[in-house]
Amino acid sequence: GQQVMQIPQYQHVQEGEDFTTYCNSSTTLSNIQWYKQRPGGHPVFLIQLVKSGEVKKQKRLTFQFGEAKKNSSLHITATQTTDVGTYFCAAKLHSGNTGKLIFGQGTTLQVKP
Amino acid sequence: GAVVSQHPSWVICKSGTSVKIECRSLDFQATTMFWYRQFPKQSLMLMATSNEGSKATYEQGVEKDKFLINHASLTLSTLTVTSAHPEDSSFYICSARDWDRGSYEQYFGPGTRLTVT
């Protein structure tokens, strides 16, 4: 079936270091969303990317959508302990209205103070 | 923002029994809700799309007779795990979109942790 691959699975960084997670698909995506799940919590929406080559920023977070709309990345500059959690990309494969999302495997970020 | 609630937040049941999980959109109407299952340290796996007033659409490999979904109103969807077995133990999460506001983000419920003994 359709898959969305996300790497790395885990990342341990020292507070202040940067962090990047990557999401890849073999097929062209309609759009891609990013979610953050804190330990013991539920996913919380961060952002949606729709256009080819789109770049969006939220404070220290930078989201990119590839030109071919097959990959995406989330980059965090100067990580803080509050950034700890699992980051998921979630792709919408088709332009229909069902809203169905396929989630990547997630990248769990640990930040050492 | 839109709020989705789930009940119960956790449940322990004996093997062979059935468990019902409720998902409610508290401040918006949701014609479509989604049910996911998440095993420890794994991703969210979409189980089914719940449609108000019609049958749910199940993902490949998900047994529709085992995971009964009923979307009886615009604010409530239920997932019933029938004849539960220990391998059904998981974190079940529902989500919904607020279509009326044109919002594309999915609002997730807090999840229900099911343990089958």
Side-chain angles (χ1 to χ4, degrees):
Chain A
Q2 301 286 0
Q3 282 195 340
V4 176
M5 305 301 295
Q6 191 174 351
I7 57 170
Q9 187 174 4
Y10 298 99
Q11 185 84 57
H12 295 249
V13 300
Q14 196 72 38
E15 188 171 24
E17 292 181 339
D18 293 354
F19 159 77
T20 305
T21 173
Y22 301 90
C23 200
N24 294 286
S25 170
S26 57
T27 59
T28 303
L29 305 173
S30 176
N31 61 54
I32 196 159
Q33 299 179 7
W34 286 90
Y35 290 80
K36 177 182 179 181
Q37 185 177 23
R38 292 182 186 275
H42 60 277
V44 174
F45 175 84
L46 295 177
I47 210 158
Q48 173 170 283
L49 304 171
V50 178
K51 299 176 183 176
S52 167
E54 189 170 15
V55 178
K56 288 188 177 180
K57 292 189 176 184
Q58 289 179 351
K59 297 183 181 179
R60 295 178 294 105
L61 277 61
T62 302
F63 303 85
Q64 292 189 324
F65 202 7
E67 294 288 343
K69 298 184 71 174
K70 290 184 177 182
N71 57 74
S72 181
S73 65
L74 157 59
H75 179 82
I76 302 179
T77 304
T79 55
Q80 300 175 359
T81 54
T82 53
D83 295 326
V84 165
T86 299
Y87 294 84
F88 292 99
C89 60
K92 189 162 180 284
L93 303 179
H94 307 291
S95 57
N97 275 336
T98 63
K100 171 179 165 179
L101 295 174
I102 305 300
F103 278 77
Q105 295 90 337
T107 297
T108 299
L109 172 64
Q110 294 283 358
V111 179
K112 301 175 198 173
Chain B
V3 179
V4 174
S5 71
Q6 267 183 257
H7 178 80
S9 55
W10 59 270
V11 57
I12 301 173
C13 71
K14 291 187 177 179
S15 188
T17 61
S18 296
V19 174
K20 179 186 282 189
I21 302 170
E22 294 185 348
C23 177
R24 294 182 185 271
S25 55
L26 297 186
D27 52 358
F28 67 100
Q29 293 182 334
T31 53
T32 302
M33 290 183 175
F34 304 91
W35 285 97
Y36 296 85
R37 180 167 53 184
Q38 186 177 34
F39 291 107
K41 298 186 179 181
Q42 293 190 24
S43 186
L44 286 83
M45 299 301 297
L46 179 64
M47 298 175 67
T49 302
S50 172
N51 306 298
E52 186 269 336
S54 65
K55 292 182 180 179
T57 304
Y58 290 82
E59 293 300 301
Q60 191 173 7
V62 178
E63 299 176 58
K64 61 181 181 180
D65 294 331
K66 180 170 182 62
F67 299 99
L68 301 178
I69 291 173
N70 184 19
H71 198 143
S73 76
L74 288 171
T75 59
L76 172 64
S77 175
T78 60
L79 168 67
T80 301
V81 183
T82 63
S83 187
H85 291 284
E87 57 265 31
D88 298 324
S89 299
S90 187
F91 191 49
Y92 292 86
I93 314 178
C94 68
S95 72
R97 283 179 61 178
D98 187 352
W99 293 94
D100 289 342
R101 283 203 280 178
S103 171
Y104 42 68
E105 68 181 269
Q106 288 196 15
Y107 300 96
F108 284 83
T112 297
R113 191 161 301 282
L114 169 64
T115 301
V116 185
T117 60

